[in-house]
Amino acid sequence: MATRFVQINMKAHDEVALGGFWAKVLGWEMSSEGPGVTNLEPEGLTYPDPSTLYVDLVVSAEPKTAKNRVHVDLATTSAAHHAELVARLTALGATPADVGQGDVPWTVLADPEGNEFCVREPNPLYADTGLIGAVVVDCADPRAMADFWGRATDWTVHEVTDQQAVLRSAKGVGPYLRFVRTPDAKTGWNRVHLDVRPYPSDDLDAEAARLRTLGATDADLGGADTPWRVLVDPEGNEFCVLTPA
């Protein structure tokens, strides 16, 4: 059995408006699978596709109270491209964000609901990823996260140090997943998280059980019943195990 990352899930007060912002940023199509959910996907691909992480925005009344532990890095190809992208994002409604980054070569912005993201300086690592270069997750122990997620999914571990761990799809395409060491403690539910999906021949409950043997635990949903399974990784980051496809 195996599973793979398929999408980014973002909580939003106004999922349609926030979806419209990100659709313009990414140049993706926007649709809805039901009330309170806005789906973003690139034109011409059949979901799920290893070359991208799709984006789902789900309505939530919960306020944003702290820096998100999960954010996206947008890739640029040159200094001029970086400047042009920051200008375009600002025109769309992004604003500068201070997360204590200090003097760094990249730009930190926030979307219209305050979700932080980075416009990175040109980096060979992101040369073939598309606009979303990476999903970045704050963590206390990158080595432990690489161990768990390297066994939990079929994504390939590319780098492991005390400061960061880097994974990518087994197909060698699409964005990277970076676990970056940070002293910040996790507080509350992550407003942005990743969803994984087992392959068509796998069983949802069997896959969830396998993930638990690796160190995942069940999230407290307050009695809510869903057709998917909501778990947390060893550092408490929520993720959804979707129905096989």
Side-chain angles (χ1 to χ4, degrees):
M1 291 186 291
T3 191
R4 74 282 202 202
F5 295 104
V6 292
Q7 63 197 37
I8 303 165
N9 185 298
M10 302 176 67
K11 299 296 184 286
H13 296 144
D14 186 335
E15 79 286 359
V16 175
L18 191 60
F21 168 83
W22 281 105
K24 291 175 182 176
V25 169
L26 299 170
W28 289 7
E29 297 179 332
M30 186 168 70
S31 61
S32 176
E33 65 187 65
V37 181
T38 292
N39 311 105
L40 306 182
E41 58 184 40
E43 185 177 0
L45 295 183
T46 300
Y47 175 90
D49 190 288
S51 67
T52 194
L53 289 172
Y54 295 75
V55 179
D56 276 8
L57 298 103
V58 180
V59 69
S60 171
E62 293 294 323
K64 182 179 185 297
T65 58
K67 170 183 173 289
N68 287 345
R69 292 186 66 78
V70 182
H71 73 265
V72 297
D73 275 356
L74 300 184
T76 62
T77 58
S78 67
H81 181 212
H82 180 278
E84 291 166 2
L85 182 56
V86 169
R88 183 169 73 86
L89 293 166
T90 302
L92 290 173
T95 54
D98 185 354
V99 293
Q101 68 269 22
D103 185 15
V104 294
W106 59 87
T107 302
V108 184
L109 299 175
D111 71 18
E113 290 204 6
N115 299 298
E116 304 87 1
F117 64 97
C118 296
V119 181
R120 293 301 303 241
E121 76 284 11
N123 185 334
L125 182 68
Y126 298 160
D128 63 349
T129 60
L131 186 56
I132 298 179
V135 176
V136 182
V137 182
D138 292 349
C139 71
D141 188 343
R143 293 185 183 276
M145 289 293 94
D147 179 67
F148 172 77
W149 285 109
R151 292 183 294 149
T153 70
D154 65 1
W155 277 38
T156 302
V157 178
H158 284 261
E159 176 188 347
V160 182
T161 70
D162 289 339
Q163 298 305 314
Q164 76 165 358
V166 179
L167 292 81
R168 198 184 195 190
S169 167
K171 304 295 185 182
V173 296
Y176 289 86
L177 175 61
R178 296 176 56 227
F179 291 97
V180 177
R181 190 181 191 94
T182 175
D184 300 331
K186 182 179 184 292
T187 58
W189 277 67
N190 288 341
R191 291 189 67 78
V192 181
H193 71 256
L194 288 163
D195 291 340
V196 300
R197 190 179 289 274
Y199 287 90
S201 60
D202 289 333
D203 177 80
L204 174 61
D205 287 322
E207 181 60 20
R210 183 184 73 87
L211 294 170
R212 293 186 192 100
T213 67
L214 297 177
T217 53
D218 291 298
D220 182 2
L221 301 181
D225 186 26
T226 65
W228 54 86
R229 305 295 174 260
V230 185
L231 304 178
V232 297
D233 72 15
E235 288 204 4
N237 298 300
E238 300 84 11
F239 66 98
C240 296
V241 187
L242 306 177
T243 54

